[in-house]
Amino acid sequence: MLTKLQSRLRQFTSVAPPPPKSQLQAQKGLGKPGPDAMSTPQLTESRNPALRTLGGDSLFETTRSRAGEKAGQLFQMRGPGGLEKQDPAELREQAVEEAIAGKGKPVDFVNSDGKTEQVAIFQVPFAGEDTYFVRVGDETFQVEFQGGTDADREAFLAQVIDSYSETPPELRSSLQKVVVTPDQGPETATGNRAAATAGDGTITFYDDGRHLSEDIFHHELGHLIGRQQEEKDDGFWTDLGEVFTGEPPPVPDGWDEAAMEDENFTSGYAETDYKRDGNYTEDFAEAWKLYMAAIDGGPEKLAEFREMYPERAEILEDIYPPPEQD
Ligand SMILES: [Zn+2]
């Protein structure tokens, strides 16, 4: 672990410090039109882009409003001038600021489900201002702001931690690293650009991370969880075989059959991708995203999900049994 850490640290380059507040506000505005429906990734790509259409209708809602709506109300905070209303998303950013200032000391972080997590953040002091080790509960991942990106560190970290904290602890080790880059995502056959890609335990967000949302995070993490599940039952001979045959798509055992029995796709993007690649990679990532949203939505949404995707729901509920609903 230490050598791994050290070798990672060696790669770090220093970048400019985060921009002043006024610029941050302007940048938040830019995140508003969410990425659109995703389309086909390159056949040869092991990474799976979530795509956006420039100027199209929004499939993915912006996270800020989502998060606020989900919490359902504004928190009452005791400020210096008495009671003050505060946006839960702002409170999460404050918690992140506090955690960064605390240099690894855990702080309470209330996620958009209203659940409190212990979060500690350690900013790597000798690698510029752009690398953070983030601990949520008992799991740690790394966030790298690369290439001089002017991404709003606190806002980005707050959103990533919020979505990550919705993921059940036993699945969190599928994520090791989040990368934010000013680069544009890879262009695909349809001319769309990826908002993010996932593979090898890493999620990369393009365009300074401005397309980050709860949905995109869960879709991308879905790819990593799919791989984790695929590898779970592999024994020595399977692993050896995969050296020669290549790794199978990152979906749990039985997913293809379940999808065929359900006789549908989890989204238009999943279907387009299937027609191109002949696998259910995007179908699973989309399913994971929808399943996470259904859990957030409550028993009715979950029932709708089960009705729509009965066979797949069984697999998903095995991976992540839905928490008891009130
Ligand atoms: Zn994908």
Side-chain angles (χ1 to χ4, degrees):
M1 177 61 200
L2 190 61
T3 35
K4 209 167 152 191
L5 183 79
Q6 283 166 337
S7 77
R8 277 174 179 171
L9 294 180
R10 264 183 237 120
Q11 301 166 8
F12 300 154
T13 52
S14 71
V15 293
K21 262 297 188 240
S22 57
Q23 216 174 321
L24 298 182
Q25 296 304 334
Q27 194 190 326
K28 280 174 196 172
L30 286 174
K32 280 277 147 59
D36 196 0
M38 298 167 291
S39 72
T40 54
Q42 304 291 343
L43 251 174
T44 50
E45 259 177 9
S46 63
R47 294 175 172 221
N48 305 284
L51 300 169
R52 68 192 168 85
T53 301
L54 297 167
D57 287 332
S58 169
L59 170 72
F60 293 110
E61 294 167 83
T62 55
T63 311
R64 258 148 225 295
S65 53
R66 273 287 298 262
E69 277 164 31
K70 198 162 67 167
Q73 82 275 337
L74 295 175
F75 284 37
Q76 293 287 324
M77 278 281 289
R78 210 178 291 278
L83 280 176
E84 229 175 87
K85 274 185 183 171
Q86 266 190 291
D87 179 359
E90 267 172 41
L91 289 175
R92 287 193 285 276
E93 278 185 49
Q94 277 176 20
V96 165
E97 275 173 44
E98 216 183 294
I100 293 170
K103 300 183 196 309
K105 190 169 156 271
V107 302
D108 283 351
F109 181 97
V110 183
N111 76 8
S112 52
D113 295 337
K115 208 176 118 222
T116 303
E117 287 271 11
Q118 292 292 299
V119 169
I121 301 176
F122 189 75
Q123 188 176 5
V124 181
F126 48 88
E129 294 204 308
D130 62 344
T131 296
Y132 300 80
F133 286 89
V134 179
R135 190 167 189 81
V136 179
D138 293 326
E139 296 287 341
T140 304
F141 61 94
Q142 184 183 334
V143 181
E144 274 183 27
F145 294 93
Q146 292 181 345
T149 176
D150 62 357
D152 178 341
R153 270 67 171 159
E154 283 85 10
F156 188 90
L157 288 168
Q159 180 53 57
V160 163
I161 293 167
D162 186 26
S163 298
Y164 180 83
S165 69
E166 290 188 298
T167 307
E170 60 274 21
L171 300 177
R172 292 178 185 176
S173 64
S174 57
L175 179 71
Q176 272 123 52
K177 189 155 117 179
V178 174
V179 170
V180 185
T181 167
D183 296 347
Q184 289 204 312
E187 196 170 318
T188 67
T190 54
N192 294 323
R193 287 188 183 279
T197 52
D200 298 329
T202 301
I203 300 176
T204 302
F205 287 94
Y206 300 96
D207 282 327
D208 298 308
R210 63 172 57 107
H211 308 293
L212 171 65
S213 71
E214 193 180 348
D215 279 341
I216 290 199
F217 182 88
H218 288 312
H219 174 105
E220 298 303 333
L221 192 63
H223 285 308
L224 302 184
I225 289 169
R227 176 59 72 206
Q228 193 183 45
Q229 295 299 311
E230 182 275 315
E231 284 174 347
K232 210 174 65 173
D233 301 323
D234 282 2
F236 173 79
W237 295 109
T238 312
D239 279 341
L240 185 67
E242 286 176 6
V243 170
F244 299 103
T245 58
E247 275 195 305
V251 303
D253 282 356
W255 188 261
D256 298 17
E257 293 78 6
M260 282 182 259
E261 276 183 57
D262 287 341
E263 296 183 320
N264 54 23
F265 287 92
T266 47
S267 75
Y269 172 57
E271 184 169 6
T272 309
D273 185 73
Y274 175 82
K275 283 179 177 159
R276 186 184 160 88
D277 287 1
N279 65 45
Y280 288 91
T281 299
E282 296 305 328
D283 187 80
F284 179 75
E286 289 286 86
W288 184 259
K289 176 192 85 183
L290 295 172
Y291 182 58
M292 292 300 283
I295 287 173
D296 271 350
E300 255 178 57
K301 295 284 174 199
L302 203 53
E304 281 172 27
F305 183 89
R306 285 184 185 124
E307 199 178 324
M308 191 82 168
Y309 313 110
E311 297 298 324
R312 293 191 197 76
E314 269 190 42
I315 295 177
L316 291 166
E317 288 180 43
D318 251 13
I319 298 171
Y320 175 22
E324 296 291 321
Q325 309 264 4
D326 301 325

